[in-house]
Amino acid sequence: MNRDETQNRTVEMAFEVGKSKPGRSKPVDIFSLLFLILVSNLLWRSDAIGSSSTSSSSSSVVHTNNWAVLVCTSRFWFNYRHMANTLSLYRTVKRLGIPDERIILMLADDMACNARNKYPAQVFNNENHHLNLYGDNVEIQGAADNGRHLPGCYSFLSVHSPGVLAIGSSMKGENSYSHHLDSDVGVSVVDRFTFYTLAFFEKLNMYNSASLISLFNSYNPSMLMSTAYYRTDLYQRSLDKVPVTNFFGSVMETIHADSAYRGFSVNGSRVAQIKMVHQADSPADRRTLIDGTLQDQISGLNSKERDVGHCPMSSLLNKLNDIEDVDTLVNYGLIIMISMVTITTWLSR
Amino acid sequence: MAQKKLFWVWVTASLLFRLLLIYFPKNLNLGSRPEVATPLTSLRRLAEGYWLKQSSMSPYAGSMYHGSPLLLSTLGPLTVKRIKGQPSHLICSLLFVIADFVTAMLIRATGQNLQLAYRQSLKALKVATSEILSAGDIAALIYLWNPLTVVTCVGYSTSPIENLMIVLTLYGACSRLAPLAAFGWVISMHLSLYPAVLIIPVILLVGYGPDAPPRKLFLKGNFGTDGNDPSNLSCYQGNEVTTHKMLPIRPFLWKPVLHFIFWAFIWSVHVLVLCSISLKQYGGLWEMLKRTHGFILTVEDLSPNIGVLWYFFAEVFNFFTGFFLMVFHVNILFMILPLAVRLNHRPCFLAFAYILISSMLKSYPSVGDSALYLGLLGLFINELADMQFSFFLFCGYIGVSLLSPVMHNLWIWRGTGNANFYFATGIAYACLQIILVVESIGAMLNHDRTLRKKSTECP
């Protein structure tokens, strides 16, 4: 009895709040969601050796190695809708093909198992409760909270690196509003921006080629009650040619290999390594094993280029470059130092 | 003789106790406690850094290891060796036990040095020497039996090596062995940045010699060693002093100081050359400085420890981190000059005060630092006999040592507490250290005043 009473009171209060002033969500977390998805796509697709911002030529198999980083920075029960936003987008990117191994989902608080949740282990983003965002397909491996604030660097206005497409739910000075209040759960369950984003994505599947410009055009400022803003000055390609699944989806390619798989073995000084080399000319991403000699050559080349002609120290170091085993040299140096200490101490008694 | 035998019995017992804890069948998991292992001293991180180096990657990759590359070359191979049926990292733990033993012996030798100087100066001032405890033995035993030292030794932390280097510096300086003192100072500064402030007490030790009462007491000189007629000597409080013989005041010898500086230069060049050889493929010296000393100064890792910086910097806005970093580090530097001016006649005690202050305000403190200064506190047990609040501090240390793991458990593992619970023990710990430093310096100055009163009394 008591629980229902307090529940009703909370509902009334929330409803009044909902009536007078639709819940404002902080611009930051909406930014952070989409910003990170977009940025991370470009980060993780870059070449391992050096050059970043590769723009691949063929568009059909480009989105094979997408990562998604979804971050929710809002704690406490009344920020239920932020959690629901994040989980909705998690479900969307999973549905469009990005596997769990390439999704990093960070939630600041636990809504599903919150004591105030009337539906334990269930998180909804609509008051019709049709979709449980915490259902069977969700993989949560444990949360950690060491009381840290995520740094405030997610303001996309301060991004300078190339190859980034950023989108925000509202302009500076505006508020992002929640969409509707679920009178059963007692709090707003989704934000307007996310609601319309999901409405767009629910019509897609992973093979769809709807472009980014159609996503941005689907945002209606009067429905959102804010101006969704996107920043394209750092992103070279034109938006009507880029499919949304480049960012939000992923298609796995399997390659048949005839040779047996060999793990790395340690024998003496040579260590074979597993190194991810993205070869720009091959159409598909491949993981190759290269052994230590190649790595030594590469690093030797790099260091030689760097050291040449700076100071006499570098010429000495170049000579020492020829000596392969650095460790024994350092050990000898330590032994020499300690013996010198003992000798000089003995002499100065 | 019986006392000496008892001393060695206790020393052996403490080493056996450590071995017992190393071979304890149940995993004590001390290496994962934040009080024991910090990002700078954790042996697990060293093992990780060594593995990275062996895989031809920079040992500082991934922000795991933040220590010296020399430590990596010495301790790294030892972390990999596994003997069947023995606990993990056995050789490293044995090495730390040996380091603890050597540290205790060096503390004892320093204590004997200080005590000899103390007796000589008391004799020179013609002050009756009451019962003087053997400070060196007591300090060594305090160091070995302190639970915090035992936990540090057994808990897979590299603090015993840092403590050994600091004590080596003090021992070398007290015995006026310039190469040894320089070596200890350079290595301890290389391993953790803060012992750099010890240069001032070390130079004072090497120049003036061990601790002694204030120099102006010797100047009062109304005592002759040649047994003059007492009626000729004046017993006035110091206005009129008629002396037949001026006792030699301790002069500041520049030659040992220059030797010290010379050897410090040699050792630091040697260390820097070795480090640059070790890291020539991974960015060289600048990378090392950025990742070790830069990491210490910029406080990048905010995981909880018994200090006060992590909680503070978790809340500070990015715009202000630089300012507050400067405030915290300058806090240590501000205390150096006034203390040096006030306590320049007691350089060993000055070193103790510096170690205490830096272990309170450093970026990543651990109980290993407190183990060191509590051991050094025992060296001054004769002078600090009248220290106030000693019982309160003793109980406080025990209380904090017990509560801190409990609060950590409540916060991280059970989730019924929050960061404030754990930070409260951190604040209490800092308060205890502040009280300790203030009271010990006060007690030492009181002791000097008592000596002055006693020395100017008429016989």
Side-chain angles (χ1 to χ4, degrees), chain B residues 160-233:
Chain B
I161 307 237
E162 292 173 14
N163 294 350
L164 171 65
M165 289 301 149
I166 295 177
V167 172
L168 192 71
T169 315
L170 289 179
Y171 169 69
C174 276
S175 326
R176 278 188 153 136
L177 295 168
L180 195 64
F183 172 71
W185 181 71
V186 164
I187 298 284
S188 61
M189 186 176 76
H190 175 68
L191 290 179
S192 67
L193 183 61
Y194 293 93
V197 303
L198 289 180
I199 182 128
I200 294 175
V202 164
I203 286 185
L204 287 173
L205 272 173
V206 168
Y208 279 126
D211 288 9
R215 269 175 288 285
K216 54 184 179 184
L217 290 189
F218 292 100
L219 279 176
K220 295 245 196 264
N222 37 3
F223 311 99
T225 50
D226 50 0
N228 272 348
D229 195 348
S231 58
N232 282 346
L233 298 172

Side-chain angles (χ1 to χ4, degrees), chain A residues 91-108:
Chain A
R91 190 188 150 270
T92 303
V93 298
K94 268 192 84 159
R95 201 173 58 78
L96 292 176
I98 303 183
D100 270 318
E101 295 85 50
R102 292 211 283 262
I103 300 178
I104 298 173
L105 173 65
M106 295 189 225
L107 302 173

Side-chain angles (χ1 to χ4, degrees), chain A residues 271-332:
Chain A
V271 180
Q273 309 148 51
I274 300 171
K275 192 148 174 76
M276 306 248 272
V277 178
H278 291 240
Q279 289 158 342
D281 45 0
S282 86
D285 290 334
R286 233 189 254 171
R287 293 194 184 116
T288 53
L289 288 169
I290 60 172
D291 67 358
T293 48
L294 183 61
Q295 178 57 26
D296 280 333
Q297 279 174 20
I298 292 173
S299 61
L301 213 68
N302 287 344
S303 59
K304 275 214 172 73
E305 280 168 19
R306 260 184 278 129
D307 286 348
V308 148
H310 281 302
C311 59
M313 191 65 179
S314 64
S315 58
L316 184 69
L317 287 175
N318 275 335
K319 263 189 233 151
L320 292 169
N321 257 334
D322 303 332
I323 306 172
E324 266 215 15
D325 220 345
V326 168
D327 276 337
T328 47
L329 191 68
V330 171
N331 286 340
Y332 282 149

Side-chain angles (χ1 to χ4, degrees), chain A residues 95 205 212 223 231 245 309 333:
Chain A
R95 201 173 58 78
N205 60 30
L212 277 173
M223 299 293 269
R231 181 181 171 187
T245 42

Side-chain angles (χ1 to χ4, degrees), chain A residues 157-197:
Chain A
L157 293 167
S158 60
V159 172
H160 302 293
S161 51
V164 172
L165 177 66
I167 179 171
S169 58
S170 59
M171 303 272 285
K172 198 170 175 178
E174 286 180 350
N175 296 312
S176 285
Y177 292 102
S178 73
H179 190 257
H180 63 267
L181 168 74
D182 182 343
S183 47
D184 205 8
V185 175
V187 285
S188 307
V189 288
V190 72
D191 282 329
R192 289 181 176 263
F193 182 69
T194 317
F195 186 81
Y196 292 108
T197 310

Side-chain angles (χ1 to χ4, degrees), chain B residues 131-143:
Chain B
E131 175 73 37
I132 295 185
L133 300 165
S134 166
D137 292 354
I138 293 178
L141 284 180
I142 290 178
Y143 182 78

Side-chain angles (χ1 to χ4, degrees), chain B residues 308-423:
Chain B
V308 294
L309 268 76
W310 62 275
Y311 190 86
F312 187 78
F313 280 105
E315 297 181 318
V316 159
F317 292 112
N318 267 352
F319 184 73
F320 294 108
T321 29
F323 169 69
F324 280 111
L325 279 173
M326 278 194 283
V327 165
F328 272 97
H329 289 300
V330 158
N331 212 351
I332 303 179
L333 295 176
F334 269 161
M335 311 238 193
I336 292 183
L337 192 61
L339 281 177
V341 166
R342 193 68 182 86
L343 289 172
N344 65 349
H345 55 283
R346 291 189 181 275
C348 213
F349 186 70
L350 183 68
F352 160 74
Y354 282 172
I355 292 172
L356 217 172
I357 289 171
S358 69
S359 82
M360 188 166 62
L361 293 169
K362 71 195 308 194
S363 332
Y364 308 100
S366 70
V367 289
D369 309 315
S370 67
L372 177 65
Y373 67 70
L374 287 175
L376 290 179
L377 184 68
L379 285 177
F380 309 103
I381 209 160
N382 290 310
E383 291 95 339
L384 298 179
D386 293 327
M387 192 169 89
Q388 280 184 319
F389 301 130
S390 48
F391 183 65
F392 169 71
L393 286 170
F394 178 68
C395 296
Y397 266 94
I398 292 181
V400 169
S401 319
L402 292 175
L403 270 182
S404 176
V406 169
M407 294 303 171
H408 187 256
N409 190 343
L410 276 184
W411 173 31
I412 301 277
W413 297 108
R414 289 174 194 266
T416 51
N418 55 36
N420 298 321
F421 286 50
Y422 188 64
F423 185 58

